[in-house]
Amino acid sequence: MSQLQSFLDNSENKALDEIHRKKIIKAVTSYDQTVIGMKSEQFKDWAHSREVAGKIKQATLDRLPDYLEEFESKIQARGAQVLWAEDAQAARSFIDEIIARHKVKQVVKSKSMTTEEIDLNEHLEEQDIEVFESDLGELIVQLAGEKPYHIVTPAMHKSKEEIAELFNEKLNSDPDSTAEELTMTARAFLRNAYVTSQIGITGANFLIADEGAVVMIENEGNGRLSMACPPVHVVVAGIEKMLPRLRDLPLFLPLLSTSGTGQEVTCYNSIIKGPKGEEEVDGPEHMYVILLDNGRSELFQDEEFQQALRCIRCGACLNACPVYRTIGGHSYDTTYQGPIGSVITPHLRDLASFGHLAQASSLCGACTDVCPVKIDLHHLLLENRWRSKKAGLSGIKWELILKIWAWVFKSRSRLNGMSKFIQLTQGLVRMLMPKSLREKVPRRAKKSFGELWKERQQ
Amino acid sequence: MKDSLSQSSTARDRILIRLKRGVPENPAPLPSVPQDHEHFTSYLDVKDRDSLLGRFQHRFEALQGEFFLVDSPQEAGKALSNLVSGIEPNRILSQDDSLIEKVLKSSSLASEKVKSTDDLLAQDSLSFEAYEIGVTTAFKLVARTGSIVMTCRQAAGRRLSVLPPLHIVIAKASQLIPSWEEGIESLRDESDFSYASFITGPSRTADIEKILVLGAHGPKRLALILIKE
């Protein structure tokens, strides 16, 4: 089945699934209330702060090659190794080599969208390497054999009861567990994994050029454990994660956590500048930072779309989007769902398979309104529609319909003619319609507005 | 890694070439460093310790941090005794530090030999899993958000402050600073660390139906004994 057809089928199923709808509305309503409250509680002027953040991010992109080189030399000076991966395949082979080099049998991971992007779990499991997803939401979708539903809250689509059932089946917990008991089950299940894994793989929320640092934010502590316990720490980071200065963090950290979860700041904000230092008691002996391109440098050269690389992956546009709220995260079948996913996926993957996502938008602009770095998301969606059309991907039928429509609407007399034509033929056409449709389609009025207007003028 | 290194360096060149093609000829200037007072309602420009302390305690307790304000290391010892009561002394691990030592001496643990990270190092076995409580100092305390700033130096490594279920921090009121801005600035001065963290409350998650649960993977409880002197 084509990507488009399965998108249409899945969307329809989800849109009509009332239980699904209830769960999502509950989650986004609670998100909305917290986020709106925190924006006004913490920020003097949210509009101004996101303006500044957008400008800093854009200025960073304007100098991205320089910052990447600065980051590389600074973090390497502290003993980390930087590896540049042009695509998913290259990133996976780097990880394969690291695994072979350190004789890894078991991996503990913290939540990272870049590792989703390169399908790392599937790749490692094929080689009989055991992978422990340690973020609670990620663990839930891993155990369920699913992909993350949302870039920030991966298990947003699962009710407590469903998770209790899943944990009962996979982890032998009480089928009537509360949220707290389920969390404690996950804690106990993973406790050992941190200590016995030979490698911890994490993502990055920011890369800092001037200090050569990786910044990671989280609430659970699984990220910290993943880079404190195993002897090897691997970071997989998109090249666009850059910020120029450590001193940009006091704005960007609250901005990200407020947009992401409505928190003033998240529980843990970690700054990592390398593997264990000589004088230090513990920490990984080796650290690798894989800088992932995977289509980003192509997007970067596109004048219209470069701004999409400002994204800090807060997930706000997903939560705000009426389409995401209706069809849910899995229907997109992409690593990045919602408006930002529909903007970048056709470019990071291919336009022919994912161009249709831009049509899944009402162009209401809710995504643009909430973006903390002011990406003009809904205009980019419109631009993607135009790109699909230019690439001849709209289909002959649709093109033909539009051509006829344009031809008719461009002339008053043709439009009047069409109107008359419908009036004359509607009796016959209606007879051919199935009854259910006939009841829905209204009859053309006896006289058009134009005709009525003319009569009045006389 | 030889092969991959050469692969990485070819990839590096190609990525940078592509990026350079997308860089504008005359980029807009980089905006100046964002200032706290420009962005945050809770910016504190007061330097007096009482208001910093009030704000810190308010935020720290709102996030279920356990806060103990004491006048002296002796009193801190009493607070510590209460926190560790019922726990076997051999399940407590502390950072090797003179302030902590002073506090320990005034506590119920005075006659016990509480292990420090240095002892573990000497034995060359850093098995942290057996410990219920980790005791550390702090680098700074950020009043605006009730956060404890820690580098791997103050925590004596990366694990002591995250692996044990109860993390006890012993700090002085003089370490209070108003903002993250100052926290970051002081980290820049203190360049010699591989890891630093801003810790704001005990570990938490809301991944199940947005229900808040404390103690996801990090410490379930976070306690701060703050010495006023």
Side-chain angles (χ1 to χ4, degrees):
Chain A
M1 204 191 310
S2 75
Q3 198 73 35
L4 169 61
Q5 195 53 51
S6 73
F7 174 73
L8 291 173
D9 292 350
N10 293 337
S11 303
E12 190 171 329
N13 287 337
K14 287 295 177 195
L16 299 174
D17 180 345
E18 275 184 51
I19 298 171
H20 172 262
R21 174 174 297 240
K22 273 198 189 124
K23 288 187 283 191
I24 301 318
I25 294 303
K26 188 177 166 196
V28 292
T29 310
S30 124
Y31 166 89
D32 278 349
Q33 286 166 348
T34 332
V35 170
I36 292 168
M38 186 47 73
K39 275 181 189 169
S40 57
E41 191 186 321
Q42 180 167 218
F43 287 88
K44 277 188 176 162
D45 179 359
W46 174 255
H48 171 68
S49 292
R50 74 185 193 119
E51 176 89 35
V52 172
K55 278 190 181 148
I56 293 177
K57 262 311 231 182
Q58 187 56 51
T60 312
L61 292 177
D62 289 347
R63 301 160 178 80
L64 187 60
D66 297 343
Y67 288 143
L68 281 165
E69 288 183 89
E70 187 181 355
F71 167 80
E72 180 190 40
S73 75
K74 292 260 165 74
I75 200 163
Q76 282 188 340
R78 294 197 68 99
Q81 189 169 349
V82 175
L83 297 163
W84 301 66
E86 281 193 282
D87 53 25
Q89 176 57 46
R92 287 192 296 260
S93 11
F94 286 144
I95 292 174
D96 287 347
E97 269 187 65
I98 293 167
I99 279 175
R101 187 185 193 192
H102 298 287
K103 304 191 175 55
V104 174
K105 292 265 171 266
Q106 187 188 307
V107 172
V108 64
K109 272 186 64 200
S110 76
K111 199 175 125 37
S112 141
M113 293 318 294
T114 41
T115 60
E116 296 289 342
E117 196 180 322
I118 63 173
D119 291 319
L120 185 61
N121 288 7
E122 292 83 346
H123 176 73
L124 293 176
E125 277 154 12
E126 273 167 26
Q127 304 169 67
D128 288 328
I129 304 229
E130 203 168 356
V131 183
F132 288 95
E133 283 289 356
S134 56
D135 172 81
L136 180 57
E138 289 283 342
L139 174 69
I140 293 166
V141 293
Q142 189 193 26
L143 290 176
E146 294 174 13
K147 288 278 188 186
Y149 181 90
H150 186 288
I151 57 175
V152 175
T153 34
M156 185 165 127
H157 61 302
K158 291 228 180 284
S159 68
K160 192 176 69 207
E161 289 72 25
E162 288 167 317
I163 298 165
E165 200 179 306
L166 177 73
F167 276 24
N168 170 251
E169 188 194 317
K170 306 274 181 178
L171 305 176
N172 247 332
S173 60
D174 183 348
D176 300 317
S177 295
T178 61
E180 178 163 12
E181 286 162 346
L182 291 167
T183 307
M184 291 311 131
T185 303
R187 180 183 171 102
F189 172 65
L190 287 164
R191 205 96 282 249
N192 225 12
Y194 300 115
V195 189
T196 52
S197 295
Q198 297 88 4
I199 177 173
I201 301 181
T202 72
N205 292 98
F206 299 105
L207 304 173
I208 307 294
D210 71 351
E211 292 271 330
V214 173
V215 177
M216 213 190 81
I217 78 169
E218 54 161 338
N219 282 308
E220 297 183 4
N222 59 312
R224 288 184 64 198
L225 287 161
S226 303
M227 53 195 162
C229 301
V232 181
H233 177 204
V234 175
V235 179
V236 185
I239 50 173
E240 83 286 11
K241 289 281 161 194
M242 196 61 71
L243 278 177
R245 309 157 289 207
L246 202 64
R247 287 178 296 168
D248 290 313
L249 291 177
L251 171 61
F252 276 86
L253 293 173
L255 193 85
L256 174 53
S257 55
T258 299
S259 279
T261 56
Q263 287 173 281
E264 192 169 38
V265 286
T266 58
C267 189
Y268 302 123
N269 290 259
S270 296
I271 299 167
I272 311 107
K273 302 208 299 182
K276 168 187 176 310
E278 255 175 48
E279 306 267 289
E280 290 166 10
V281 195
D282 63 358
E285 298 287 335
H286 306 274
M287 180 180 178
Y288 301 91
V289 181
I290 298 176
L291 295 176
L292 183 68
D293 180 343
N294 209 24
R296 289 166 173 79
S297 59
E298 293 295 337
L299 193 59
F300 188 83
Q301 293 171 64
D302 191 312
E303 226 170 281
E304 300 274 354
F305 280 89
Q306 193 195 70
Q307 57 165 308
L309 292 170
R310 285 184 215 157
C311 178
I312 54 173
R313 304 279 187 262
C314 68
C317 61
L318 282 66
N319 297 326
C321 178
V323 175
Y324 181 91
R325 289 178 178 208
T326 307
I327 66 171
H330 285 151
S331 301
Y332 292 83
D333 196 20
T334 53
T335 306
Y336 306 101
Q337 313 83 7
I340 185 66
S342 303
V343 164
I344 61 176
T345 312
H347 303 273
L348 298 184
R349 310 268 291 269
D350 71 301
L351 190 63
S353 308
F354 294 97
H356 62 269
L357 293 178
Q359 304 287 346
S361 163
S362 60
L363 300 180
C364 66
C367 46
T368 307
D369 280 349
V370 295
C371 179
V373 286
K374 288 197 90 173
I375 301 169
D376 200 352
L377 287 156
H378 68 299
H379 280 106
L380 293 180
L381 287 170
L382 200 58
E383 181 67 22
N384 267 349
R385 291 186 186 181
W386 175 234
R387 298 279 174 104
S388 286
K389 195 209 148 359
K390 274 200 294 195
L393 293 168
S394 327
I396 299 172
K397 225 169 38 180
W398 181 243
E399 287 283 321
L400 194 67
I401 291 171
L402 279 186
K403 281 229 166 78
I404 294 171
W405 181 85
W407 181 75
V408 170
F409 273 72
K410 269 180 185 163
S411 128
R412 184 70 241 178
S413 60
R414 283 200 289 268
L415 188 58
N416 288 345
M418 172 70 97
S419 179
K420 271 273 173 283
F421 178 75
I422 289 173
Q423 193 175 24
L424 291 172
T425 55
Q426 68 175 346
L428 182 67
V429 174
R430 291 181 76 85
M431 264 167 64
L432 298 172
M433 283 179 187
K435 194 175 171 234
S436 58
L437 186 61
R438 200 181 311 145
E439 282 167 355
K440 281 186 207 157
V441 177
R443 286 182 170 278
R444 180 196 182 277
K446 288 225 165 59
K447 283 175 184 167
S448 73
F449 178 78
E451 287 163 334
L452 288 170
W453 184 256
K454 255 186 200 158
E455 283 178 13
R456 288 229 163 175
Q457 300 294 307
Q458 281 161 8
Chain B
M1 288 307 276
K2 273 240 164 79
D3 263 9
S4 68
L5 271 187
S6 66
Q7 260 179 41
S8 166
S9 101
T10 336
R12 176 186 194 274
D13 294 345
R14 283 203 290 250
I15 292 169
L16 287 175
I17 286 171
R18 285 198 292 272
L19 290 179
K20 277 173 190 161
R21 270 188 233 137
V23 164
E25 265 177 45
N26 298 306
L30 177 66
S32 56
V33 170
Q35 306 287 314
D36 266 40
H37 65 82
E38 181 190 349
H39 294 283
F40 302 112
T41 51
S42 49
Y43 169 72
L44 300 165
D45 52 2
V46 275
K47 297 281 182 209
D48 72 290
R49 217 180 274 177
D50 281 349
S51 52
L52 287 183
L53 199 130
R55 169 78 191 178
F56 182 91
Q57 180 177 0
H58 169 65
R59 295 308 301 156
F60 188 75
E61 288 182 333
L63 294 160
Q64 277 100 34
E66 297 165 36
F67 186 79
F68 303 93
L69 186 61
V70 297
D71 283 323
S72 64
Q74 288 70 36
E75 268 192 48
K78 279 184 213 153
L80 184 67
S81 307
N82 288 333
L83 279 168
V84 302
S85 78
I87 301 284
E88 291 288 316
N90 62 2
R91 306 201 67 184
I92 302 168
L93 188 58
S94 90
Q95 175 195 343
D96 217 24
D97 172 87
S98 57
L99 176 65
I100 293 182
E101 214 162 281
K102 228 192 250 179
V103 173
L104 278 172
K105 274 196 186 127
S106 319
S107 78
S108 56
L109 299 164
S111 56
E112 307 284 347
K113 174 76 185 91
V114 171
K115 282 223 173 62
S116 77
T117 41
D118 280 11
D119 297 330
L120 283 191
L121 259 190
Q123 292 168 13
D124 200 31
S125 77
L126 284 168
S127 108
F128 274 81
E129 305 89 84
Y131 296 95
E132 284 284 318
I133 298 178
V135 186
T136 73
T137 58
F139 177 56
K140 298 283 175 195
L141 306 168
V142 180
R144 186 172 87 77
T145 54
S147 310
I148 298 170
V149 192
M150 203 163 261
T151 78
C152 50
R153 299 201 147 240
Q154 284 75 39
R158 299 193 190 191
R159 282 180 289 184
L160 184 57
S161 58
V162 70
L163 207 47
L166 169 56
H167 178 201
I168 301 175
V169 181
I170 298 175
K172 292 180 175 170
S174 58
Q175 291 176 291
L176 280 162
I177 51 173
S179 65
W180 281 58
E181 199 174 306
E182 290 191 30
I184 291 287
E185 200 57 58
S186 48
L187 280 180
R188 275 162 50 82
D189 300 336
E190 180 93 352
S191 62
D192 197 20
F193 62 86
S194 74
Y195 176 88
S197 189
F198 284 70
I199 298 171
T200 313
S203 155
R204 61 196 53 223
T205 186
D207 274 355
I208 300 173
E209 289 191 3
K210 302 256 168 196
I211 302 163
L212 179 70
V213 179
L214 294 187
H217 296 284
K220 293 178 192 179
R221 291 170 62 201
L222 173 66
L224 173 68
I225 302 174
L226 191 62
I227 305 168
K228 259 182 164 172
E229 73 174 16

